Amino acid sequence: MSKAYFDYAAKRLLQAIVVILLSYVFTFVVVSILPGDPITNVLNNPQNGFTPNEIKEIIAAQGLDKPIPVQLWSAFSGFVTGDLGLSMRTNRPVATLIAEVLPSTLVLASAGLAVALFLAAIIAYGTQFLPRRFGQGLLRGFPSLFLSVPNFVIGLVLIHLFGFQLGVFRVIEPDSFWATLFAAIALGIPISAQIAEVLIANLDHESGQDYAAVARGRGLGQMRLFVTHLLKPSSLPVITVVALTIGELLGGSLITETVFGRNGLGSLVQRSVSTQDLPVLQAVVSLAAVVFVVVNLIADLTYPLLDPRVKLLGGQERRPTTADDSSLPISKAVTR
Amino acid sequence: MAPRDRLTSLSNRASTPLLRAEGLSVAYGTHRVVSNVGFELGRGKGLALIGESGSGKSTIARAVLRLLPATGHASGRVEFEGQELLGLPERRFRPFRGRRIGFVPQDPGNSLNPVRAIGAQAMEAAALLDEPDTALRKALVLETFAQVGLDNPQRVYDSYPHQLSGGMLQRVLIGLAVLPRPSLLVADEPTSALDVTIQKRILDLLSKLQEELQISLLLITHDLAIAAERADSIVVLKDGTVQEAGSTATVFSAPSSSYARKLHGDVPALNPDRYRPLREPGFRHLGARREKTPKIEVAGVTKTFTVDGKVLTAVNDVSFDVQAGTTHALVGESGSGKTTAIRILLGLEQPDTGKIAVGGEQVNGRSPEQLRSVWRHLQLVYQNPFTSLDPTWNVEKTVREPLDRFKIGTHQERALAVRKAFADVGLGEHLLTRKPAALSGGQRQRVAIARSLVLKPDVIVLDEPTSALDVSVQADIVEVLLSLQAKLGLTYVFVSHDLALVRQLAHTVSVMQRGRIVEHGTVGEIFDTPRQPYTRSLLESIPSGAARFARAQPLQHRQIFSEEKIA
């Protein structure tokens, strides 16, 4: 691996860290300037039944009586050193709360992504082998269908059909294998649509390229052409698409968890929102930012390794549209 | 096979042509693009299909190769060694691909998979040889690379397509096509994406391989001069029908169809003196040059760019003068710096050193506001009319825009000026409300010229104004330009890679190579007595085989200024 690649990787890593830190500060500031503060809304709310002493204790522990910049500084320095603070509602460390529910969400999100990739591959690659008139049109219709149905509807239909009617899984055991699988299907279907659309567009583009015709002229059959020539260039951009759908995957996970009754980040967020448990919300948002940034960092770092055309110029990634100007028709080459 | 059978089949082989098309038609849906085309190609011979865009020549090539897109349908007969190809199921046609019919594509830059190494793709072609040993197959690939003139075969083998130049890629593709020793090579415009000197080398390579390996060549080209030089017989196509067919000598010395005659008249390489009367005033201005200061003075201009940390001198100490009312041509291949030179002339780029004056006013070192006053007298016509006009504007608005920007005249005066410019370039007023998409390429370029004329400039910079156009359309545009020059006394700076075209219309020429002007002179000096080897190599790259046919032709002068046919 070249020095250019390491320079590029170092620069991107630095950028990623800055983005994460900035997103933390941004979230904190936005939450602080929103109307309503936790003291009046939560602590002084008679429904929650805190005693005056407890309220004082919580205010002191959270430092809620201090000015916002001071609060930000103590929270931020805690975040940098790995201390996410205490939950206002339960008074337990936020890190512990998240660690309890995170594995369940990660399992669901990864399974959802796997389902999405699997479905997208079947739909997109299938269009290359089915006869044009029949079948292909059907497959090409799937992505728009998948996109137009919200995942909680898919989830409810799956629960009704496979949980209650067919009894494939027991609805009261949401963490069982089958229940997780169906939750992952509900989560993965809308995401598969986006990936499939990109894949289909790329496949259509690549198979219409001159090199595909030339390779066929060289005697390659449909299958060889697809596997050796079209698969890689059409699939590479999917890396970027997957990285961008991570946000949706996380958000979708929270909804799907609620629909399937799983105990995960979704229920934690729900409880924290209703009680304005700011430290927990701040931590979850930051966690989402970290996941998003890390996944995109991985995508950016793998792309140059897979596509020989990507040139790394001074830490900037640039996909050249054409390799060599002299290979262009003169009408294009001179426009530089 | 019994000996008798073999004998008869052998005698059949000798008498049947290698490739024969009869009643070949191709339709996309209900739209017919090729109708009832027939031709024959003998063993080891060369046949050229020539025509302009939309003539169906490439479609015929694709039909023969059975590489038409899924919506295309071919009917009629295409026989290869007596075997009908169109009706064959794909499974039975595949053995023909590569092994017996090779394909050299048009645009080498897009014809190899960009994410796979060249070696991997070459091995696909080598797999068609009945050679089980992989190492031997690779050796054959390297040998073929050397045969097609690639200096370092192993390096080419390990490279990715983007790491090679267009000329090298075309050599690779030709190598891959001839590697399995096909008896027919279909070459679809194999050089139209390449620089002129490389174009000649690639054509020489094809001729050499054709002779050495006894390959028949089906050459698709828009360039009559190339066809004359490289083919034994020619089929002239227009709108999908055959206009004329016959031996190259016949089609050239005595073309019988009016279309072939017109095409013949429009090819610059065959008619260097076509526009003599229109160019006379320019030569008179040039003769009187000692008495006047030049319209354009470029002195010692240098411009460097930094790319990837390397300093690249795009324009190196370039100087030239242009007399008012004459055409000065900047000639060179891609990367020679001619485009950078005109960008500096137009003030779009600042030179590092040097001085540029137009009409006695210095251009370089001006602020953007000051440049505007220069631009009133200095206009640009861009090379590609398909991208240089705003597709959402009607052309009247496009042509009027410079007047609006410079706030010239009242509303009525502007409308009149637009109509005047339209008339000057030979466009009918009924086209004023059209959008560019509803115009042909030639009409669009006329609109672009009208837009540059509307400010009544003295100087127009023409950046390859015809390179995106067909040869007959090119002739129309050249005629418009020269008529305007004769009428209005305009000064042109004409950038081109096409020397034959330059010879037709320029008065003085600068030949550029790697940022420098290597030779400078009048059009007569450059073309009749070139001093520099580079200039000579450029001149040699003009297809010359046609010249002997051309001299047999009586010189025909075109009617000056034909109105654009109503679209």
Side-chain angles (χ1 to χ4, degrees):
Chain A
M1 249 174 277
S2 63
K3 183 179 174 297
Y5 181 77
F6 281 110
D7 287 354
Y8 166 71
K11 197 162 182 175
R12 289 291 291 112
L13 188 67
L14 203 70
Q15 281 175 350
I17 292 169
V18 171
V19 168
I20 290 170
L21 295 181
L22 280 179
S23 77
Y24 185 90
V25 174
F26 181 75
T27 320
F28 194 98
V29 171
V30 166
V31 171
S32 309
I33 60 176
L34 282 180
D37 67 301
I39 301 179
T40 37
N41 281 2
V42 184
L43 301 179
N44 290 345
N45 188 339
Q47 281 180 355
N48 291 338
F50 288 108
T51 65
N53 273 343
E54 279 176 334
I55 293 175
K56 259 186 209 153
E57 229 172 76
I58 294 174
I59 288 177
Q62 298 282 349
L64 292 175
D65 48 349
K66 302 206 177 78
I68 299 283
V70 178
Q71 287 185 38
L72 171 61
W73 176 247
S74 63
F76 184 73
S77 48
F79 173 68
V80 172
T81 54
D83 175 15
L84 297 176
L86 297 174
S87 158
M88 242 180 250
R89 182 171 51 86
T90 60
N91 218 22
R92 294 174 58 208
V94 173
T96 318
L97 286 178
I98 289 178
E100 281 169 7
V101 293
L102 191 60
S104 159
T105 301
L106 283 186
V107 166
L108 178 61
S110 329
L113 181 59
V115 168
L117 287 173
F118 180 72
L119 284 176
I122 288 185
I123 293 169
Y125 302 148
T127 59
Q128 297 297 301
F129 293 97
L130 285 182
R132 183 163 278 271
R133 271 163 211 280
F134 177 76
Q136 221 191 84
L138 195 71
L139 273 187
R140 281 167 189 266
F142 275 130
S144 33
L145 178 72
F146 285 178
L147 268 182
S148 51
V149 187
N151 65 357
F152 58 85
V153 174
I154 301 174
L156 290 173
V157 170
L158 288 178
I159 289 174
H160 182 74
L161 207 64
F162 293 94
F164 292 118
Q165 300 289 322
L166 299 173
V168 178
F169 63 95
R170 285 160 62 91
V171 181
I172 53 164
E173 289 174 13
D175 292 322
S176 68
F177 172 79
W178 288 106
T180 306
L181 180 65
F182 281 101
I185 291 173
L187 174 62
I189 280 180
I191 291 166
S192 78
Q194 300 175 34
I195 301 174
E197 290 209 324
V198 172
L199 259 182
I200 290 176
N202 285 332
L203 276 168
D204 287 348
H205 175 74
E206 298 293 338
S207 56
Q209 291 290 299
D210 288 347
Y211 74 79
V214 174
R216 279 182 67 204
R218 220 181 283 141
L220 260 62
Q222 180 82 355
M223 192 69 194
R224 275 284 302 284
L225 181 71
F226 172 72
V227 173
T228 60
H229 279 280
L230 304 179
L231 191 60
K232 187 175 168 192
S234 60
S235 306
L236 278 178
V238 169
I239 295 174
T240 314
V241 178
V242 168
L244 291 175
T245 52
I246 288 297
E248 228 161 297
L249 200 63
L250 283 178
S253 299
L254 305 195
I255 294 167
T256 313
E257 277 171 1
T258 314
V259 173
F260 280 78
R262 291 167 64 91
N263 192 20
L265 269 184
S267 46
L268 180 65
V269 168
Q270 199 185 9
R271 285 193 299 272
S272 307
V273 167
S274 62
T275 56
Q276 286 217 344
D277 195 343
L278 295 187
V280 177
L281 290 177
Q282 173 79 51
V284 172
V285 172
S286 303
L287 179 72
V290 169
V291 171
F292 195 82
V293 168
V294 167
V295 170
N296 278 284
L297 180 66
I298 293 171
D300 286 354
L301 292 185
T302 39
Y303 212 105
L305 300 181
L306 296 175
D307 191 333
R309 288 169 299 182
V310 174
K311 277 188 198 156
L312 300 168
L313 300 173
Q316 263 195 337
E317 191 177 354
R318 203 186 63 153
R319 251 187 95 165
T321 45
T322 46
D324 181 346
D325 283 343
S326 62
S327 68
L328 288 171
I330 281 149
S331 58
K332 285 185 221 153
V334 189
T335 61
R336 276 176 301 153
Chain B
M1 205 187 279
R4 232 186 99 133
D5 284 356
R6 199 185 287 156
L7 257 179
T8 49
S9 82
L10 263 179
S11 63
N12 271 344
R13 269 184 65 144
S15 62
T16 53
L18 182 73
L19 182 72
R20 200 168 84 88
E22 192 186 319
L24 174 63
S25 298
V26 182
Y28 289 105
T30 55
H31 180 57
R32 220 171 201 218
V33 290
V34 173
S35 332
N36 205 18
V37 167
F39 54 83
E40 280 187 9
L41 171 58
R43 259 161 231 288
K45 300 282 185 198
L47 170 70
L49 299 181
I50 80 163
E52 301 182 277
S53 39
S55 65
K57 56 188 191 303
S58 288
T59 306
I60 294 172
R62 297 266 164 157
V64 170
L65 293 156
R66 301 215 343 184
L67 288 176
L68 288 171
T71 48
H73 177 71
S75 56
R77 285 181 77 78
V78 174
E79 287 172 14
F80 181 81
E81 293 180 337
Q83 163 79 57
E84 212 283 312
L85 295 182
L86 293 182
L88 278 185
E90 178 65 25
R91 183 177 292 281
R92 292 203 32 221
F93 180 69
R94 253 183 63 202
F96 285 87
R97 291 186 194 277
R99 265 180 243 263
R100 298 169 78 180
I101 305 177
F103 175 35
V104 178
Q106 174 170 17
D107 182 0
N110 286 329
S111 297
L112 286 164
N113 192 330
V115 299
R116 297 184 69 213
I118 284 171
Q121 304 185 56
M123 288 307 273
E124 289 172 0
L128 299 176
L129 298 162
D130 296 312
E131 173 54 63
D133 183 357
T134 317
L136 214 60
R137 286 207 299 256
K138 189 185 164 187
L140 279 167
V141 166
L142 296 180
E143 191 190 305
T144 307
F145 282 175
Q147 194 183 8
V148 295
L150 292 161
D151 286 337
N152 190 340
Q154 183 62 47
R155 193 178 71 85
V156 171
Y157 188 93
D158 294 330
S159 297
Y160 285 93
H162 70 274
Q163 293 163 326
L164 303 184
S165 71
M168 288 170 87
L169 289 175
Q170 194 61 295
R171 283 172 194 273
V172 167
L173 285 158
I174 290 172
L176 297 195
V178 298
L179 177 63
R181 296 286 178 267
S183 36
L184 170 66
L185 207 54
V186 179
D188 184 5
E189 303 252 16
T191 58
S192 58
L194 303 174
D195 264 332
V196 278
T197 51
I198 297 164
Q199 174 170 328
K200 177 170 163 57
R201 278 183 239 148
I202 294 289
L203 289 170
D204 287 346
L205 171 66
L206 277 174
S207 302
K208 185 186 110 188
L209 291 170
Q210 192 194 344
E211 197 166 308
E212 280 175 9
L213 308 175
Q214 276 298 302
I215 296 176
S216 304
L217 182 67
L218 180 63
L219 179 69
I220 317 299
T221 181
H222 66 280
D223 193 330
L224 201 64
I226 287 179
E229 203 176 62
R230 309 285 168 175
D232 302 301
S233 46
I234 289 184
V235 175
V236 182
L237 291 156
K238 184 179 186 253
D239 300 332
T241 57
V242 175
Q243 303 295 309
E244 182 159 355
S247 75
T248 305
T250 317
V251 172
F252 267 85
S253 47
S256 59
S257 66
S258 59
Y259 181 69
R261 273 198 296 274
K262 175 173 164 16
L263 209 55
H264 194 278
D266 288 341
V267 174
L270 304 180
N271 308 282
D273 284 330
R274 183 178 207 183
Y275 303 105
R276 182 166 288 281
L278 286 173
R279 283 159 87 200
E280 271 318 316
F283 281 119
R284 278 201 299 279
H285 287 296
L286 201 62
R289 70 180 129 180
R290 284 194 191 83
E291 294 137 46
K292 287 183 245 166
T293 51
K295 189 78 191 168
I296 301 172
E297 293 174 87
V298 175
V301 166
T302 297
K303 174 81 186 171
T304 56
F305 294 103
T306 310
V307 182
D308 289 343
K310 277 175 271 179
V311 177
L312 194 97
T313 308
V315 173
N316 193 349
D317 194 18
V318 162
S319 306
F320 59 86
D321 292 345
V322 185
Q323 288 297 321
T326 68
T327 302
H328 180 71
L330 284 177
V331 171
E333 299 182 272
S334 35
S336 62
K338 54 190 194 301
T339 298
T340 310
I342 57 161
R343 285 182 63 81
I344 294 172
L345 173 61
L346 288 162
L348 299 172
E349 204 90 62
Q350 285 302 319
D352 299 339
T353 58
K355 181 176 163 285
I356 297 136
V358 175
E361 286 184 82
Q362 187 163 337
V363 175
N364 58 312
R366 280 176 174 244
S367 67
E369 293 80 50
Q370 291 172 321
L371 264 174
R372 276 173 63 85
S373 67
V374 175
W375 283 335
R376 267 204 68 170
H377 307 286
L378 184 62
Q379 287 290 306
L380 169 71
V381 174
Y382 189 68
Q383 59 181 326
N384 189 347
F386 294 90
T387 54
S388 65
L389 302 177
D390 187 327
T392 64
W393 286 14
N394 69 38
V395 294
E396 180 178 15
K397 191 174 170 195
T398 298
V399 174
R400 200 184 59 226
E401 195 197 12
L403 296 173
D404 295 341
R405 291 284 162 269
F406 282 96
K407 302 198 170 59
I408 293 167
T410 62
H411 194 76
Q412 267 92 21
E413 282 165 357
R414 288 179 201 175
L416 268 176
V418 169
R419 282 178 162 70
K420 169 95 174 33
F422 249 60
D424 280 343
V425 297
L427 285 173
E429 285 189 10
H430 64 287
L431 298 174
L432 280 169
T433 53
R434 300 252 184 110
K435 299 245 168 90
L439 299 176
S440 69
Q443 288 172 329
R444 288 181 215 205
Q445 198 60 303
R446 284 172 195 245
V447 169
I449 295 170
R451 175 173 58 182
S452 72
L453 280 178
V454 78
L455 285 173
K456 299 195 168 59
D458 315 316
V459 180
I460 300 183
V461 176
L462 303 151
D463 185 3
E464 306 244 15
T466 60
S467 66
L469 304 173
D470 274 326
V471 56
S472 63
V473 182
Q474 165 172 298
D476 290 342
I477 295 294
V478 167
E479 205 170 290
V480 168
L481 289 172
L482 290 178
S483 308
L484 288 170
Q485 185 173 47
K487 197 161 93 183
L488 307 173
L490 296 171
T491 309
Y492 290 147
V493 176
F494 187 86
V495 173
S496 184
H497 67 282
D498 185 343
L499 279 112
L501 182 63
V502 164
R503 181 174 211 171
Q504 272 191 324
L505 58 77
H507 299 102
T508 51
V509 180
S510 292
V511 179
M512 291 191 74
Q513 184 191 21
R514 289 192 216 102
R516 285 179 177 278
I517 290 181
V518 292
E519 188 161 359
H520 180 92
T522 65
V523 69
E525 286 161 4
I526 294 286
F527 282 87
D528 299 332
T529 53
R531 293 184 306 268
Q532 295 296 321
Y534 180 69
T535 310
R536 277 197 285 272
S537 78
L538 281 181
L539 292 178
E540 278 160 17
S541 67
I542 302 177
S544 59
R548 59 199 156 99
F549 300 121
R551 286 199 197 95
Q553 273 288 98
L555 201 72
Q556 21 166 222
H557 284 292
R558 281 187 125 211
Q559 198 185 348
I560 292 174
F561 225 80
S562 58
E563 275 277 316
E564 173 84 357
K565 281 178 218 85
I566 289 168

